[in-house]
Amino acid sequence: MSGFLITLEGIDGCGKTTQGRLLQARLEGEAIPHLFVREPGGTPIGEQIRLLLLQKEHSLITDTELLLYLAARAELVNTVIRPALEDGRVVLCDRYYDSTVAYQGYGCGGDGDWIRELNEKITAGLRPRLTFLFDLSVEEALRRRGHEGDRIEERSLSFHRRVRRGYLALAAAEPDRIVIIDAAAPAEQQHELLWSRLEALFSGRPSDEL
Ligand code: TYD
């Protein structure tokens, strides 16, 4: 597969969607063929699953929630991401399997081994080439979100703290893949850092030369 799968991760309100848009504009400016997708969603069925996951009328037990995120991912990976990668495109994905480990594993207390196994199975081992983790305190993220949240955003501060800790543990375990970005830094500075890492990746330069 000749394209690159790049994922953006972080707690709700960390600013990764803004960074995703800046990256998308940069890729467009550089005329690099790409695709920007988000999870859960990005396919007709995935968008419907997204509505079920983020609604607030009904609660979901952790296993239901987990399996719905995975179902949306199965659709996205197989019908959108793989074909785009085979086409040689850069695929930017706003959230991917690290979200499930962080939220349903660390956040909800789900079985981490099972989550990893399921992720591996439905993605057929498709790993991101690079993951940017936008790290921010839970208090600052909440302040930035400001408005009334969806079903996941409205969970307690301690839930979001566990998610953040989960992400940092993932980054510590895979430092070559997961790059931690200080999401409290100015947006333009974060963007330049991301871009320098991506340029190195695209040109095959080792990132420690940066
Ligand atoms: P969204 O509004 O897209 O949030 P954000 O802009 O922060 O990405 O909603 C996605 C929510 O779903 C977000 O709270 C994180 C959560 N989520 C999980 O709990 N598990 C997952 O596997 C994924 C992909 C997302």
Side-chain angles (χ1 to χ4, degrees):
M1 221 173 297
S2 53
F4 294 92
L5 174 60
I6 312 295
T7 61
L8 310 176
E9 295 282 358
I11 60 172
D12 294 272
C14 66
K16 69 183 165 39
T17 306
T18 307
Q19 288 299 321
R21 290 208 191 94
L22 288 172
L23 264 185
Q24 199 183 2
R26 188 85 177 237
L27 289 165
E28 248 153 48
E30 303 281 334
I32 297 174
H34 65 280
L35 179 73
F36 185 43
V37 288
R38 69 166 179 188
E39 276 211 18
T43 63
I45 295 296
E47 290 295 330
Q48 291 194 33
I49 295 175
R50 177 185 178 88
L51 295 178
L52 289 176
L53 281 163
L54 301 184
Q55 53 78 34
K56 290 193 283 188
E57 201 180 335
H58 305 287
S59 60
L60 300 173
I61 62 167
T62 299
D63 284 352
T64 309
E65 185 175 297
L66 168 67
L67 293 169
L68 285 173
Y69 278 113
L70 287 159
R73 181 164 309 132
E75 285 291 315
L76 185 66
V77 169
N78 291 294
T79 68
V80 177
I81 296 182
R82 274 189 187 280
L85 291 173
E86 275 156 15
D87 203 28
R89 287 201 265 172
V90 173
V91 178
L92 267 185
C93 196
D94 187 343
R95 297 194 181 280
Y96 189 52
Y97 60 38
D98 296 315
S99 282
T100 320
V101 178
Y103 280 78
Q104 281 66 50
Y106 285 87
C108 302
D111 178 345
D113 289 340
W114 191 49
I115 293 173
R116 282 190 183 82
E117 210 179 300
L118 287 170
N119 265 331
E120 184 70 22
K121 190 107 187 146
I122 61 129
T123 62
L126 179 63
R127 281 163 49 88
R129 290 291 293 274
L130 209 51
T131 296
F132 294 108
L133 168 58
F134 297 90
D135 184 51
L136 192 64
S137 75
V138 165
E139 291 74 13
E140 175 60 13
L142 180 65
R143 199 187 59 72
R144 286 188 188 178
R145 290 206 303 274
H147 58 90
E148 190 194 340
D150 58 39
R151 197 177 60 84
I152 307 280
E153 284 172 344
E154 287 201 344
R155 287 181 176 159
S156 66
L157 282 186
S158 56
F159 171 84
H160 291 285
R161 280 198 192 99
R162 288 196 298 279
V163 173
R164 183 186 186 199
R165 270 204 302 278
Y167 271 129
L168 291 172
L170 288 173
E174 285 188 76
D176 291 341
R177 172 172 72 88
I178 305 182
V179 180
I180 300 178
I181 304 289
D182 175 9
E188 201 46 43
Q189 195 176 313
Q190 294 179 51
H191 173 68
E192 288 309 323
L193 186 60
L194 259 65
W195 189 247
S196 64
R197 293 298 297 240
L198 285 181
E199 272 193 315
L201 176 69
F202 298 158
S203 64
R205 262 186 299 141
S207 55
D208 55 10
E209 275 181 16
L210 291 171

